[in-house]
């Protein structure tokens, strides 16, 4: 499959800059894989497509305030630091991206906060934009994290922050209601459509829930710069699949009930730990699985996703799940019908 197959013209005004007023009232397109039928609904109508003992699998990762604004020593030049992951708790080491990268060298000190209350030293280059920082902080680990996150900002994607500033409501809305385990620099966006009321209604209907964890990294959104998709390498992201989730999912599969993966990150997690019998296995580690057409899925038989941007690996996975031609038709209709795209956009259920 070629990268150019995922080109389409997306009007900029269709990229959602704010979420729907109520989480479960985004629009929902429904694609029936077997018949090709397409329906237009509201997200909370998703309940109509699931029955007793069907399972929805959620990614329960929690986003942290990963974007920091600071300045460089001596020159005072403004810099942006994007926290990726903590490398060493005791030494306060973090893996980060910096911008503009060309000005940030090993040995530089970076200052954060109005009174330069937090200082970091660049101790290594990891990629063209990647650096390892050691934060210089006197105080307990809890005090350090409080200071660091207090200066951090909700890590909205570029497609939004190029057009508006981060607002107070983003701290809550750029997070799912079931977020538990901190470690993501981007939200599992399909999960953001679920409200507490909708979850309760699904529960009453008999739908079971399972939770897995994939700490979303920026690799999920890295540009694909090769035409031959088999040559693209995804960045590794940490995943956790516990025994409880395995039991719930495999029991549903055994009973021929639907297993719906909520979001592309959930799909990647499930497909990263499949037994030779086609069942889910417990796992704790890292995945760099890249799913694009054609691909035979072992675990989920339904999925929910947002409408993604052109050329994105997220869109490629949706096309792998729903079938390339059908999904491209859905995207064409979505543009015509003015569905909202991106992180805060509308959803599609493929069933």
């Amino acid at each position: 499959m070629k990268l150019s197959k995922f080109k389409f013209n997306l009007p900029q005004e269709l990229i959602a800059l704010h979420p729907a007023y109520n989480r479960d009232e985004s629009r929902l397109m429904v694609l029936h894989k077997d018949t090709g039928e397409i329906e237009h609904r509201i997200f909370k109508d998703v309940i109509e497509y699931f029955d007793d003992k069907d399972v929805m699998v959620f990614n329960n990762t929690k986003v942290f305030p990963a974007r920091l604004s600071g300045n460089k020593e001596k020159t005072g030049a403004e810099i942006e630091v994007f926290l990726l992951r903590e490398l060493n708790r005791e030494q306060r080491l973090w893996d980060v991206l910096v911008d503009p990268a060309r000005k940030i060298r090993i040995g530089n000190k970076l200052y954060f906060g109005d009174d330069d209350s937090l200082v970091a030293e660049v101790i290594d280059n990891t990629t063209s934009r990647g650096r390892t920082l050691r934060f210089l902080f006197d105080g307990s680990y809890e005090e350090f994290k409080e200071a660091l996150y207090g200066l951090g900002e909700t890590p909205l994607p570029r497609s939004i922050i190029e057009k508006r500033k981060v607002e107070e409501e983003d701290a809550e809305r750029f997070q799912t209601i079931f977020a538990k385990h901190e470690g993501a620099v981007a939200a599992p966006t399909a999960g953001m459509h679920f409200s507490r009321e909708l979850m309760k209604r699904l529960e009453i209907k008999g739908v079971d829930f399972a939770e897995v964890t994939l700490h979303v990294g920026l690799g999920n959104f890295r540009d694909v710069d090769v035409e031959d998709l088999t040559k693209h390498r995804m960045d590794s992201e940490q995943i956790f699949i516990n025994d409880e989730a395995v039991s719930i999912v495999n029991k549903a599969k055994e009973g021929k009930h639907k297993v719906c993966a909520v979001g592309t990150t959930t799909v990647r997690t499930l497909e990263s730990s499949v037994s030779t019998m086609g069942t889910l296995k417990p796992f704790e580690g890292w995945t760099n699985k890249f799913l694009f057409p054609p691909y035979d899925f072992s675990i989920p038989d339904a999925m929910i996703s947002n409408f993604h941007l052109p050329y994105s690996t997220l869109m490629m996975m949706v096309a792998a799940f729903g079938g390339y031609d059908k999904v491209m038709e859905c995207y064409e209709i979505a543009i015509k019908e003015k569905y909202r795209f991106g992180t805060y956009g509308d959803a599609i259920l493929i069933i």
Side-chain angles (χ1 to χ4, degrees), residues 48 53 60 78 115 164 171 201 246-247 280-281 300:
E48 295 177 23
K53 295 189 174 58
N60 63 14
E78 289 186 4
D115 52 357
R164 73 161 174 91
R201 287 171 59 222
V246 167
S247 172
L280 186 63
K281 297 186 300 182

Side-chain angles (χ1 to χ4, degrees), residues 27-261:
R27 294 170 74 187
L28 175 71
M29 185 183 290
V30 182
L31 168 63
H32 297 265
K33 279 197 292 186
D34 293 346
T35 63
E37 181 193 355
I38 292 168
E39 298 180 79
H40 302 284
R41 309 296 297 268
I42 299 297
F43 191 82
K44 58 188 176 185
D45 297 336
V46 76
I47 192 170
E48 295 177 23
Y49 299 89
F50 295 92
D51 297 309
D52 186 37
K53 295 189 174 58
D54 287 342
V55 169
M56 283 191 170
V57 189
F58 300 99
N59 180 5
N60 63 14
T61 189
K62 188 174 185 179
V63 181
F64 64 94
R67 185 176 277 114
L68 294 171
S69 297
N71 54 80
K72 189 180 161 189
E73 65 174 336
K74 295 178 184 170
T75 66
E78 289 186 4
I79 48 108
E80 180 183 279
V81 168
F82 202 102
L83 302 170
L84 291 178
R85 65 179 67 90
E86 189 174 43
L87 299 175
N88 186 295
R89 179 174 170 149
E90 287 70 34
Q91 295 183 48
R92 319 277 202 253
L93 295 183
W94 278 77
D95 187 15
V96 306
L97 293 179
V98 294
D99 192 30
R102 66 186 183 281
K103 295 182 178 177
I104 311 298
R105 298 186 175 88
I106 293 173
N108 286 161
K109 282 197 170 66
L110 310 177
Y111 294 86
F112 306 95
D114 293 339
D115 52 357
D116 295 342
S117 57
L118 193 61
V119 184
E121 182 181 8
V122 182
I123 63 169
D124 196 13
N125 294 334
T126 52
T127 62
S128 59
R129 288 180 59 213
R131 303 289 185 272
T132 301
L133 298 188
R134 178 190 288 119
F135 286 92
L136 311 174
F137 186 88
D138 293 326
S140 68
Y141 178 74
E142 287 69 28
E143 289 169 329
F144 164 64
K145 282 296 277 288
E146 189 178 338
L148 183 66
Y149 285 7
L151 292 168
E153 194 175 71
T154 304
L156 295 179
R158 288 263 171 222
S159 57
I160 294 177
I161 62 163
E162 283 171 356
K163 295 172 183 171
R164 73 161 174 91
K165 288 190 162 94
V166 173
E167 297 165 8
E168 204 175 308
E169 74 156 358
D170 291 315
E172 181 206 345
R173 292 303 302 269
F174 194 64
Q175 196 85 268
T176 64
I177 60 168
F178 38 79
K180 288 181 187 152
H181 303 297
E182 186 178 272
V185 299
T189 55
M192 296 197 300
H193 297 286
F194 286 82
S195 64
R196 284 178 175 79
E197 295 77 14
L198 178 56
M199 296 286 278
K200 192 51 147 177
R201 287 171 59 222
L202 285 162
E203 194 182 332
I204 290 167
K205 193 168 183 182
V207 175
D208 291 324
F209 303 142
E211 294 184 5
V212 296
T213 307
L214 181 146
H215 290 316
V216 187
L218 283 188
N220 211 28
F221 307 97
R222 189 185 295 282
D223 291 340
V224 179
D225 52 14
V226 288
E227 175 66 3
D228 180 355
L229 297 185
T230 62
K231 293 183 166 53
H232 177 67
R233 294 290 170 263
M234 293 283 283
D235 294 43
S236 291
E237 293 168 308
Q238 196 172 19
I239 64 173
F240 301 88
I241 306 170
N242 63 25
D243 290 332
E244 184 185 4
V246 167
S247 172
I248 293 169
V249 168
N250 287 342
K251 186 179 172 187
K253 288 187 71 63
E254 194 179 311
K256 302 285 193 270
H257 300 291
K258 289 191 206 72
V259 174
C260 178

Side-chain angles (χ1 to χ4, degrees), residues 248-300:
I248 293 169
V249 168
N250 287 342
K251 186 179 172 187
K253 288 187 71 63
E254 194 179 311
K256 302 285 193 270
H257 300 291
K258 289 191 206 72
V259 174
C260 178
V262 178
T264 57
T265 59
T266 302
V267 176
R268 285 182 60 225
T269 305
L270 295 174
E271 290 296 307
S272 293
S273 187
V274 181
S275 73
T276 52
M277 304 293 290
T279 57
L280 186 63
K281 297 186 300 182
F283 185 76
E284 182 175 325
W286 298 78
T287 183
N288 63 351
K289 198 164 191 68
F290 176 32
L291 303 174
F292 59 92
Y295 181 85
D296 289 326
F297 290 82
S298 299
I299 305 298

